[in-house]
Amino acid sequence: MPTPRVLMSKIRQALRLLADAGLSMRQVAAALGVSKSTVSEIAMYARDAGVDWPLATSLSDDELQARLYRIRPTNPS
C-alpha cells in the first residue's frame, strides 16, 4: 500500500517554518508531527521546483501540488 501524501496544509506550514521561522528540519518535523525525512523531501521538491515560501503563498493547492509533485523522468535501464 502506498504511503499517503502529506496534506497540502502541512506542506505549506513546513515551507513557512523553514523559511520564516528558520527552524531546522527536525524542529519542523516535530511541530507538524511528520518525519524528518518527509520535511527533507518537501524541501527538496520545493527547491527542485523553484518554489519558495513567498511563491507558495500565491499558488492554489492544485498549482502547488502540480509544481512539487510533477512527474519526474526516470533513468532508462
Side-chain angles (χ1 to χ4, degrees), residues 5 45-46 48-50 64-73:
R5 277 218 175 127
Y45 284 161
D48 291 350
L64 183 57
Q65 181 174 348
R67 287 191 186 211
L68 295 182
Y69 296 108
R70 69 182 185 274
I71 297 176
R72 301 182 191 296

Side-chain angles (χ1 to χ4, degrees), residues 34-69:
V34 299
S35 70
K36 183 177 158 265
S37 62
T38 297
V39 175
S40 177
E41 186 176 273
I42 291 167
M44 178 190 65
Y45 284 161
R47 184 186 65 243
D48 291 350
V51 175
D52 57 4
W53 172 238
L55 176 59
T57 61
S58 68
L59 298 173
S60 71
D61 284 353
D62 290 337
E63 291 170 326
L64 183 57
Q65 181 174 348
R67 287 191 186 211
L68 295 182
Y69 296 108

